Amino acid sequence: QSNEIRIAHIYSKTGPLEAYGKQTQTGLMMGLDYATGGTMMVNGKKLVVIEKDDQGKPDLGKSLLAAAYADDKAAIAVGPTSSGVALAMLPVAEEYKKILLVEPAVADSITGDKWNKYIFRTGRNSSQDAISNAVAIDKPGVTVATLAQDNAFGRDGVKAFKDALKKAKLAHEEYLPAATTDFTAGAQRLIDKLKDQPGRKIIWIVWAGAGNPFKIVDLDLKRYNIEIATGGNILPAMAAYKALPGMEGAAYYYFGIPKNPVNEAMVAAHYKEFKTPPDFFTAGGFSAAMALVTALKKTGGDTNTNKLISTMEGMSFDTPKGKMTFRKEDHQAMQSMYHFKIKVDPAFAWGVPELVHEIKPEEMDIPIRNKR
Amino acid sequence: MISRLLSNDMPRNRLLALLLLAVVLGLAFAPFIFPGVKALSVAAKVLVFIVLVASFDLLLGYTGIVSFAQTMFFGIGAYGVAISATRLGSGWGALLLGLGVALAISLVLSLAIGLFSLRVRAIFFAMITLAVASAFQTLASQMSDFTGGEDGLTFKLPELISPSFEFAEEPFLGVSLDGRLLCYYLLFVLAVVLVLALLRIVNSPFGRVLQAIRENEFRAEAIGYRVVVYRTTASVLSALFATLAGAMLAIWLRYNGPDTSLSFEIMIDVLLIVVIGGMGTMYGAVVGSVIFVVAQSYLQDLLRIGSEAASGLPGLSSLLSPDRWLLWLGVLFVLSVYYFPTGIVGRLRK
Amino acid sequence: MTTTNLLELSGVHTHIGAYHILHGVNLAVPKGQLTMLLGRNGAGKTTTLRTIMGLWHASQGSVRFGSTDITAMHTPQIAELGIAYVPENMGIFSDLTVKENMLLAARAAKNADQMDDARLKWIFKLFPAVEKFWNHPAGKLSGGQKQMLAVSRAIVEPRELLIVDEPSKGLAPAIINNMIDAFSELKKSGVTILLVEQNINFAQRLGDTVAVMDNGAVVHSGSMAAFSADEALQQSLLGLAL
Amino acid sequence: MNKDFDWKPLALVPLLALIALPLTGSVSTWLTLTVAGLAMGMIIFIIASGLTLVFGLMDVLNFGHGVFIALGAFVASTVLGGMSDWTGSQELWRNLVAVFPAMLVAMLVAGAVGLAFERFIVRPVYGQHLKQILITMGGMIIGEELIKVIWGPGQIPLPLPDALRGSLFIGDAAISKYRILAVIVGVFVFGLLAWTLGRTKIGLLIRAGVQDREMVESLGYRIGRIFVGVFVVGSALAGLGGVMWGLFQQNLIPQMGAQVNVLIFIVIIIGGLGSTTGALIGALLVGLMNNYTGFLMPTLTQFASIFLMVAVLLWRPQGVYPVANR
Amino acid sequence: MLETRNLTIRFGGHVAVNAVSCAFAPGTLTAIVGPNGAGKTTYFNLISGQLKATEGTVTLDGQSLSGLPASARTRAGLGRAFQLTNLFPNLTVLENVRLAVQATREGAHRRGLNLWSIWSDHRALTERADQILADVALKAKEHATVASLPHGDQRKLEVALLMALEPKVFMFDEPTAGMNAAEAPVILDLIRALKKDKTKTILLVEHKMDVVRELADRIIVLHNGQLVADGEPSEVIASPVVQEAYLGVAKEVA
Ligand SMILES: Nc1ncnc2c1ncn2[C@@H]1O[C@H](COP(=O)(O)OP(=O)(O)OP(=O)(O)O)[C@@H](O)[C@H]1O
Ligand SMILES: Nc1ncnc2c1ncn2[C@@H]1O[C@H](COP(=O)(O)OP(=O)(O)OP(=O)(O)O)[C@@H](O)[C@H]1O
Ligand SMILES: [Mg+2]
Ligand SMILES: [Mg+2]
């Protein structure tokens, strides 16, 4: 027992987010492998990953996490894929006094008002997403309207984005039901609000899910000089960007952008194993692994929770996205984001984001929202 | 005595009686027989489903009404507890208030749906409830200030039934005596009482009229029963019991969200359990819930063993992959309709 | 007179679920004649007809139609051989109109215009209600009107054998007369008919041969004339004298 | 039939549009919304048309219908993926040449799977609604999982061929080109269905078979085969609908079938279970209603079609064209 | 006293029952005859509330029944057996009858809504049901499910349900149709016994003229929805309307 360090990875092996969850798992395993130099050992202790499938169901995630800590004696847990599951899990970590390293659930409240001291997060939060986008398009003379899902994810995103806009003017916020398939009506409202504005006009879209809001370009926004901006996404979703050459925004990750040895190693390993580039969530899983191994190495393989917490607070570690640092106050990993511009390259099935500017953590003022 | 308790509706088959006895004993001593957090969660889920499915059987099996809104009432119960605990704190008062409000809402809603829709064709009723239930789900995620949206609500309950409460230092038979255990037994008692109550209802003169209506509504009206009254009463009762089941779920999980109590998936599980167990027999709800919930909870583990065994055969192992557990659940759906047309209870009693 | 049998059941046993209903039915329906099948309620008459039509299958014994063994054939195939069947419950498609009901029975017609006019006229004359309610939903007809429609459907096209289960029930006396006329005309045109009937007068006026069932077996068969004459036999088989 | 044709439901469509006119404010906005809504209605009609046959006429509550829609879309993505030369072309005819075989293959595959579905899943439960719900639900789950096995669990793109992107303009109002294609396909499907069911005996036979299968067999029809045939056609139409829906969405997820289920059930119910004209009207009303509420009160869009259904049922409890007296 | 006044129903243009006014006194058996489609069943439907009259009223002992639904009319004392058998197919014979007994005995509407007593405790109901089954000679089959009964037995059960309701007014719609000549007397004996009671109003739709002749105190004739004759059985049967429109001149068979 003492020769093992058990890590539970709870994620959507099945369910609507299956594809995302699997990327995380791939990244996590690759990351552990890379960080331990292929040995899967830290200080003579073997790292054992226990996989659990939350199916995207919060209640299930909750009981799985409890079972992982209690029945499987996991020292640390990683996951989950969906924010809803993560929020249900937070109290369990507190109950069992064990660390939960959140990756890639994004809701702000995980490291905000629902946070407790056992929670760390390597993944970016909604604010980081929104603020980096704001930084990317915030210029004087620009008029922005937002198009978002009418749920907590969309509204949080727009709020953070709005708060971060300093120079540009916000003309309108459009919220559509998450299940929207036909965007004509929403687009028409946006056009009505924007068409008579002076200067550069941008619709900033924050959308996750099945619908495809980019179809609104079919209404020929160019007539009114309206542009579209949005964040990055997984590769299949970026296929829609092919129709939007020149579109700008800020992304969490794209395999071609960060230039560092860790990323190069990951991309190479991924090509080797799957013949495809790593995606969004692969990078996340990899980062989580790097954080874990870095911390465990520092404690000398000791999994005592309090010791781990004090080690990890303020800890910096290398990731495919460069250096990240767990902020002491809310345990959120501070990280770079990437201002990109879409280029169409026939060699790729998706619109290729080209780096315009790396937005360093210092350039973003990410609010601390927990009540510590 | 036992026969009165069961409202003179005895299992009428030795195997079924043994099975039921095993289920009751198993659930009564679950914390001691099946150690571990997961096992206890599964047992608690079984208890909740028994009540939920039994409440649905009152509607489907006994009255012959196909409704897809059962999870809506289930959700109302769960949200009632969740919202009041979130807003009013973790006292018993808040818990009971939430439950009371939830029951009242379910009553009004089921009455309204019942009076409107029971007049249209049966199949329309089914589709209308489907639509209403999906609208309700949307509503729950749109009113996120109140319901926590898609993320749901995590809340605290009275100390006595919370895991942190320990009423004895020493574990008993290897089981730590804490609030979680008390919570489980609270659920257990509730489930027993509610199922016996439902059994009483279906074996009352009222229950017989419901069956008559299921068989031939026109004739039931002709011999003097006001069909609308009976059917509406049945839908309301069923909604109230489902609400109670929802509250039980929320009490156990100390969490609630749309996926947990409102999703269509749960509705389908409930339908399937009714059919596997045997429609129109409360015992079917009990036996079906145990079998289904246990199978669902351990199917992935089972498949993992299967796929490891089949790892030599690439095609088979990708089908046996634990990630494709739903595939096998689907197959279970199909097979159970093929081979248990009258359900387990029906087959045993034959 | 030597007659060949158009339909012949020998030693037919039929089970419905766990129940053994027919216990070795032997029944011959001579070609060109009208055979009456009599018996108490529950004797197995309906079951016999359904077994002939392949709606239930005999577990033992055989059913022959002309030179074909139809014991194991499926209902549509049996019907295609030239058998029309009016079931006990009439089998009216109540959502469809009378016209549509008739059209379905007319297999050769692709649409209403292609139905045989002369034959329709004849049917309308026998059963005026069918014409009167031509475009009404059949479910709205009165009990007797439904019965008329059911029989009309069976005769909308010529068939070699007509099997009818209690056609006279619920019909007004005047219509029963029409029905009798119809069956005698059909018989004249060479159609073989097998009728189950409770209305003894009806049976007596039309039948050439008779078979009496009891407890799932045929207990008597012979010519109608002989049966009519033998009161003691009637008394013992049916519990009444004709 | 034409003399006493019931025109009232038909008038609902322009009526709804007229009511919306003053509410939307500007004529060009109204026109954009109306045309888009009608075209959307046509797409909905195409995906619902198969269900008119299967649920409406055959009375099979097929909750698995959505899986055929998904299947059609995924098959199309494979076919179109292999013809990128044609889809990537700027010329309309080349694009259409690519889309056409995609539709054909999708229909063939969906129809073939429908054949198996009928045989193994639906056949034992004709006439038993509850069991139909369960067993087809099981079929749906199996189908969805098999799609995941074949095409992977994630989202995959189905880009619209180049020449079908963008819009045409009437004054200030924009009409996307793809929707015009959808209208053409929709009208074609409608014509074909209306003709088959109205001018041949097949519709009658199915309705009769649902009521009293034994009697139809006793009349000498092999109702089993007819049912298989209709089910296959229904599935193939769902496959076609899947291609149209997929190209409209431009990306596909395995769950897409389940997502449209409620929508198409609503359309069929409004239409009166089995009436092709009714389904068309239902689809157009839903399409318009969604667009108008989407513009006027976006938060209520999700409830718009349900509201519409309840309103229609209050007016005509059997749907706009109850099939019994079509 | 059951009375209909000006009772009318139209289906589109078709007037199925046309302004029928008629009173039926307790202690009499009135036979209703008429060609198929004359409106006999529809007339019953209007009286018992299965159809809503376009015009006209139905009163029972001075109490108006017009606005009431079928169930309320049954509770007020109208009992009805159907022409096309209409039972609870998957319940047993005994349960069918027991349900009917429960429906009307001793203020039993409340008993029907009784959620909490155990059904099988109500012994009196079972005993009464058993007795009725004995009356219609179905006792031997009381545990059979209805769906498996032959047609004739289902007809008997149909009558048994009516008996169980113990109504003031008995409405029989061709009770012996499809019943074997040896079995029919069971039902006819029951009707005779009811007649002896002298307090019951009995309406009987029947096409078999020998039955009508023997049982009826009075015959009314419906033709195309209209009441065209009313009176003594022998008179009515002899009248030209009946001879021509109904019996098909003198070729009587039944
Ligand atoms: N579905 C069934 N299941 C079980 N038994 C049945 C079924 N149908 C009929 N029987 C039984 O079969 C026997 C014969 O019934 P059948 O209907 O053939 O009688 P019949 O001679 O036509 O009577 P009737 O004159 O009343 O119509 C009866 O005892 C009946 O109870
Ligand atoms: N719901 C309805 N809609 C339209 N027409 C109807 C309806 N019910 C009955 N009719 C018509 O009213 C007429 C009277 O029918 P009814 O059933 O009362 O006849 P009946 O006298 O009982 O005949 P039978 O002796 O054949 O049973 C028939 O022509 C029938 O078609
Ligand atoms: Mg019979
Ligand atoms: Mg009648």
Side-chain angles (χ1 to χ4, degrees), chain C residues 40-47 49 88-89 165-166 169 196 198, chain E residues 150-152 178:
Chain C
R40 299 166 198 273
N41 290 127
K45 306 180 293 294
T46 300
T47 310
L49 300 194
E88 188 167 38
N89 67 5
D165 201 345
E166 297 201 37
K169 70 170 182 293
V196 167
Q198 304 284 7
Chain E
H151 182 78

Side-chain angles (χ1 to χ4, degrees), chain C residues 19 39-43 45-46 88 90 129 132-133 136 142-146 148 166 169-177 180-181 198-202 205 238-240, chain E residues 11 14 34-38 41 83-84 141 145 148 150-153 156 174 177-184 207-209 224 244-249 251-254:
Chain C
Y19 302 98
R40 299 166 198 273
N41 290 127
K45 306 180 293 294
T46 300
E88 188 167 38
M90 302 180 277
K132 187 164 170 210
F133 295 98
H136 284 232
S142 81
Q145 291 166 344
K146 279 187 187 143
M148 292 183 231
E166 297 201 37
K169 70 170 182 293
L171 290 185
I175 300 294
I176 294 188
N177 288 338
I180 290 176
D181 292 346
Q198 304 284 7
N199 184 326
I200 303 302
N201 294 332
F202 192 134
R205 280 182 44 189
L238 301 171
L240 80 169
Chain E
F11 298 114
H14 180 71
N36 295 116
T41 302
Q83 178 177 9
L84 303 177
K141 300 191 175 172
T145 45
S148 72
H151 182 78
D153 287 343
K156 285 195 208 162
E174 302 191 33
M179 205 175 280
N180 176 268
E183 307 267 345
H207 286 302
K208 294 178 185 150
M209 291 316 287
N224 287 331
E244 197 181 322
Y246 182 57
L247 298 176
V249 205
K251 263 203 298 178
E252 183 190 332
V253 271

Side-chain angles (χ1 to χ4, degrees), chain B residues 100-231:
Chain B
V101 172
L103 285 172
I105 293 177
S106 290
L107 181 89
V108 173
L109 214 56
S110 60
L111 207 60
I113 301 185
L115 288 178
F116 167 69
S117 329
L118 289 172
R119 293 162 178 277
V120 301
R121 278 169 63 174
I123 194 61
F124 281 25
F125 180 73
M127 303 321 300
I128 289 172
T129 51
L130 177 63
V132 169
S134 78
F136 191 82
Q137 209 176 337
T138 317
L139 195 70
S141 48
Q142 273 186 5
M143 301 201 333
S144 53
D145 290 343
F146 210 54
T147 59
E150 261 127 60
D151 295 340
L153 295 168
T154 296
F155 50 90
K156 292 203 167 62
L157 285 178
E159 184 66 21
L160 193 62
I161 50 170
S162 299
S164 47
F165 174 77
E166 295 200 353
F167 59 91
E169 294 282 303
E170 286 303 301
F172 177 70
L173 295 176
V175 177
S176 60
L177 303 176
D178 57 10
R180 206 171 178 75
L181 196 67
L182 288 182
C183 189
Y184 178 80
Y185 280 106
L186 173 67
L187 254 53
F188 180 76
V189 171
L190 275 175
V192 170
V193 170
L194 293 176
V195 169
L196 289 180
L198 277 165
L199 204 56
R200 190 42 105 61
I201 290 174
V202 298
N203 283 294
S204 69
F206 172 76
R208 291 296 148 143
V209 179
L210 293 186
Q211 290 182 31
I213 291 173
R214 174 191 73 193
E215 290 290 311
N216 186 344
E217 162 188 355
F218 175 84
R219 189 57 192 262
E221 181 89 26
I223 59 174
Y225 297 111
R226 194 92 182 85
V227 168
V228 181
V229 173
Y230 283 85
R231 283 218 289 211

Side-chain angles (χ1 to χ4, degrees), chain A residues 174-300:
Chain A
E174 178 73 30
Y175 297 100
L176 294 179
T180 303
T181 48
D182 188 352
F183 292 83
T184 315
Q188 191 63 41
R189 286 156 62 93
L190 284 163
I191 292 174
D192 288 354
K193 288 285 183 335
L194 281 180
K195 65 179 175 197
D196 300 324
Q197 300 284 345
R200 198 172 162 204
K201 293 170 272 194
I202 297 177
I203 298 175
W204 181 65
I205 300 178
V206 47
W207 199 272
N212 179 0
F214 302 101
K215 277 185 304 196
I216 64 176
V217 291
D218 278 355
L219 286 176
D220 206 359
L221 302 176
K222 285 202 200 82
R223 279 186 291 167
Y224 309 106
N225 280 321
I226 299 173
E227 299 167 46
I228 286 187
T230 190
N233 209 330
I234 55 169
L235 298 175
M238 286 206 292
Y241 295 4
K242 263 197 132 168
L244 303 162
M247 178 178 78
E248 288 183 60
Y252 164 76
Y253 176 79
Y254 176 74
F255 73 95
I257 292 181
K259 302 287 178 236
N260 62 55
V262 183
N263 190 39
E264 273 152 29
M266 178 173 79
V267 173
H270 202 277
Y271 264 113
K272 188 163 162 228
E273 200 172 332
F274 302 101
K275 321 252 177 312
T276 55
D279 205 347
F280 231 67
F281 296 96
T282 324
F286 204 102
S287 307
M290 295 297 286
L292 282 180
V293 175
T294 311
L296 287 170
K297 277 185 178 155
K298 283 199 175 160
T299 62

